[in-house]
């Protein structure tokens, strides 16, 4: 068997890494050394867990595509904060596509790859997921700047949003191409990761450190934002009375509500990704073949992918306007009966929306619109707001 003749790092001589990129035998050597050829791990076809991951990725693509279309078609979402949320959605959608390609190129197809194709296969997933992480930091930075200035979303500079989006993808791309630029373990088998047999363990540790620093920065920024809001609220209560105090109090409540969606997204992200970070740390400290848990990395990667599945669900559950936009895309027959009348399901949604909005409307009586988690209320009927043309006289 191939696995029985594992090459030793001391006797492994190879040309410089770049010269090895077209050499398919490099993949065999590295997978053999890390034990990934044992028990037919790379010879089986699609396993049930891989099929489940393909289905998961398909749902991720459909969900995030719907959110992107809703943002693109609805002018209410053409605000700086939604640019960043749209960028996060795009990275999740691309992560689903990249992971499907990764799965289809894995298994028995892995040993047919050259190192260059292997780096592209893994790098595609890494870059898109890294962009998702870094975009969360961009959202936190934007929120911090906005709260420091105490200005609503439309007062933020569009150029800053574009700069944050470009910077997030540039940093993700830079981190993703480091292995193909030379930070890999080709010719250094004893330094190879078990989870990613061509990646250097030091590179894995570096990425975990960068992502941990990003998460810490996000937590610090949101802590400062909440501190600013709480401090301003206390000052308003102490120093103001009458209509001015009520107006500023409403503004603070709206700012707190604006943080709800991204805070939930952050919490879900940590829950989904923390096990994978722990696995990477275990990979760094364990010698090849010593930790059997490292051969179950697909389960941890699948859990990380669930984050991309949950993000669009979080948007639709926490944003009234996003729910309306999604229904407008999908559910005209569900809402409108023959003759243009609202059917029972539509009346149920209208009743549910009106109840959830009643409290917010009482807070801002007399104002044109209410901005909470991206919600702008300017119609008396949610169903009419979904399909206004059907109710024109």
């Amino acid at each position: 068997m191939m696995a029985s003749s594992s090459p030793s790092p001391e006797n492994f001589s190879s040309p410089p890494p770049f010269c090895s990129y077209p050499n398919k035998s490099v993949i065999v050597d590295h997978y053999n050394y890390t034990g990934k050829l044992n028990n037919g791990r790379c010879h089986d076809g699609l396993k049930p867990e891989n099929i489940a991951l393909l289905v998961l990725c398909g749902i991720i693509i459909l969900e995030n595509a719907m959110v992107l279309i809703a943002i693109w078609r609805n002018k209410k979402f053409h605000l700086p904060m939604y640019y960043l949320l749209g960028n996060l959605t795009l990275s999740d959608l691309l992560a689903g596509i990249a992971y499907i390609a990764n799965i289809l190129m894995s298994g028995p197809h892995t040993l047919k790859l050259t190192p260059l194709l292997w780096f592209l296969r893994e790098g595609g997933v890494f870059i898109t997921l890294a962009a998702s992480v870094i975009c969360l930091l961009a959202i936190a930075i934007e929120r911090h700047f906005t709260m420091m200035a105490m200005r609503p979303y439309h007062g933020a500079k569009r150029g800053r949003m574009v700069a944050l989006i470009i910077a997030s993808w540039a940093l993700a791309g830079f981190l993703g191409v480091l292995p193909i630029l030379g930070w890999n373990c080709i010719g250094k088998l004893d330094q190879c990761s078990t989870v990613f047999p061509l990646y250097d363990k030091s590179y894995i540790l570096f990425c975990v450190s960068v992502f941990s620093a990003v998460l810490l920065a996000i937590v610090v920024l949101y802590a400062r934002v909440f501190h600013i809001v709480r401090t301003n609220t206390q000052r308003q209560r102490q120093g103001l009375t009458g209509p001015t105090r009520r107006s500023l109090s409403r503004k603070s409540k709206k700012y707190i509500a604006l943080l709800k969606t991204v805070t939930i997204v952050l919490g879900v992200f940590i829950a989904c990704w923390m096990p994978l970070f722990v696995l990477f740390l275990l990979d760094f400290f364990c010698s090849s073949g010593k930790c059997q848990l490292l051969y179950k990395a697909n389960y941890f990667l699948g859990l990380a992918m669930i984050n991309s599945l949950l993000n669009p669900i979080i948007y639709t559950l926490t944003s009234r306007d996003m729910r309306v936009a999604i229904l407008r895309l999908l559910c005209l027959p569900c809402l409108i009966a023959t003759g243009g009348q609202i059917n029972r399901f539509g009346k149920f949604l209208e009743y549910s929306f009106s109840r959830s909005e009643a409290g917010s409307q009482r807070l801002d009586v007399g104002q044109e619109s209410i901005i909470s988690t991206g919600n702008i209320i300017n119609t008396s009927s949610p169903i009419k707001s979904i399909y206004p043309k059907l109710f024109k006289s």
Side-chain angles (χ1 to χ4, degrees):
M1 280 182 64
M2 296 175 63
S4 62
S5 57
S6 175
S8 63
E10 293 83 1
N11 299 327
F12 184 77
S13 59
S14 67
F18 292 106
C19 298
S20 302
Y21 284 180
N23 188 358
K24 296 181 180 180
S25 65
V26 171
I27 301 291
V28 177
D29 291 333
H30 282 251
Y31 272 68
N32 195 15
Y33 178 78
T34 56
K36 284 207 164 185
L37 294 184
N38 296 336
N39 302 322
R41 289 191 177 98
C42 280
H43 297 283
D44 298 333
L46 285 177
K47 299 178 181 179
E49 58 266 27
N50 290 333
I51 296 175
L53 288 174
L54 287 174
V55 173
L56 173 66
C57 290
I59 298 174
I60 288 172
I61 293 171
L62 291 175
E63 281 187 335
N64 286 282
M66 283 192 299
V67 174
L68 281 177
I69 294 172
I71 292 175
W72 175 66
R73 293 183 60 178
N74 196 326
K75 291 183 179 180
K76 293 178 181 180
F77 303 142
H78 295 178
L79 301 171
M81 183 61 175
Y82 279 106
Y83 293 167
L84 292 175
L85 289 178
N87 184 52
L88 179 62
T89 304
L90 176 63
S91 64
D92 288 335
L93 185 150
L94 294 177
I97 296 174
Y99 201 49
I100 286 179
N102 185 290
I103 293 172
L104 295 179
M105 295 173 67
S106 297
H109 302 289
T110 298
L111 302 182
K112 301 176 184 178
L113 299 176
T114 64
L116 179 60
L117 290 176
W118 189 93
F119 285 132
L120 293 175
R121 184 190 76 178
E122 302 298 337
V125 177
F126 183 90
I127 290 173
T128 52
L129 291 178
S132 180
V133 179
I134 299 169
C135 187
L136 286 174
L137 176 60
I139 293 172
I141 291 172
E142 189 274 336
R143 284 295 80 231
H144 185 264
F145 280 140
T146 300
M147 294 304 298
M148 291 294 290
M150 289 301 290
R151 294 175 182 173
Y153 285 146
H154 54 73
K157 293 182 179 180
R158 184 173 301 181
R160 187 175 72 208
M161 303 302 103
V162 175
L164 286 171
I165 291 172
I166 294 175
S168 66
W169 281 101
L171 180 55
F174 173 73
L175 292 175
V177 301
L178 284 176
I180 203 172
L181 294 178
W183 197 351
N184 55 61
C185 64
I186 294 179
K188 301 172 289 185
L189 287 177
D190 57 326
Q191 300 178 23
C192 288
S193 160
T194 300
V195 177
F196 302 105
L198 269 65
Y199 282 175
D200 196 300
K201 285 187 175 183
S202 60
Y203 170 73
I204 298 293
L205 182 63
F206 171 74
C207 291
V208 172
S209 301
V210 170
F211 292 151
S212 298
V214 168
L215 288 176
L216 179 61
I218 293 172
V219 172
V220 170
L221 286 170
Y222 279 124
R224 283 181 54 83
V225 167
F226 280 114
H227 175 72
I228 292 170
V229 172
R230 186 178 64 178
T231 301
N232 289 338
T233 302
Q234 291 175 348
R235 289 175 180 175
Q236 293 160 11
R237 291 174 178 174
Q238 294 173 358
L240 298 173
T241 57
T244 304
R245 178 178 177 180
R246 288 193 298 271
S247 175
L248 291 175
S249 178
R250 287 195 299 268
K251 182 182 290 187
S252 293
K253 291 179 181 179
K254 287 185 285 185
Y255 278 129
I256 292 175
L258 285 169
L259 294 172
K260 187 168 83 170
T261 298
V262 288
T263 303
I264 295 173
V265 169
L266 175 61
V268 170
F269 173 85
I270 293 175
C272 291
W273 278 85
M274 191 58 66
L276 185 62
F277 287 171
V278 173
L279 185 75
F280 285 160
L281 290 176
L282 185 65
D283 187 17
F284 177 79
F285 290 106
C286 279
S287 302
S288 295
K290 300 296 183 182
C291 299
Q292 294 301 311
L293 186 62
L294 297 178
Y295 299 110
K296 305 294 184 181
N298 281 343
Y299 296 103
F300 292 84
L301 289 170
L303 179 60
M305 290 299 298
I306 290 177
N307 178 70
S308 297
L309 173 72
L310 294 178
N311 280 344
I313 297 176
I314 294 170
Y315 303 151
T316 57
L317 289 179
T318 58
S319 170
R320 180 258 179 187
D321 274 344
M322 188 64 75
R323 292 196 302 268
V324 168
I326 296 297
L327 287 172
R328 185 173 185 176
L329 286 174
L330 298 179
C331 220
L332 177 59
C334 302
L335 302 176
I336 308 301
T338 305
Q341 300 298 318
I342 301 175
N343 63 19
R344 292 181 181 179
F345 180 66
K347 291 180 179 179
F348 169 75
L349 289 178
E350 186 171 18
Y351 174 74
S352 300
F353 283 144
S354 62
R355 283 179 59 88
S356 65
E357 291 161 10
S360 297
Q361 289 174 330
R362 283 194 296 268
L363 284 174
D364 284 287
V365 174
Q367 293 197 4
E368 287 187 21
S369 65
I370 299 173
I371 303 177
S372 56
T373 54
N375 303 340
I376 302 176
I377 303 171
N378 53 13
T379 73
S380 59
S381 170
I383 305 304
K384 291 180 181 180
S385 70
I386 298 175
Y387 301 105
K389 295 181 181 179
L390 296 178
F391 295 94
K392 287 184 177 179
S393 57

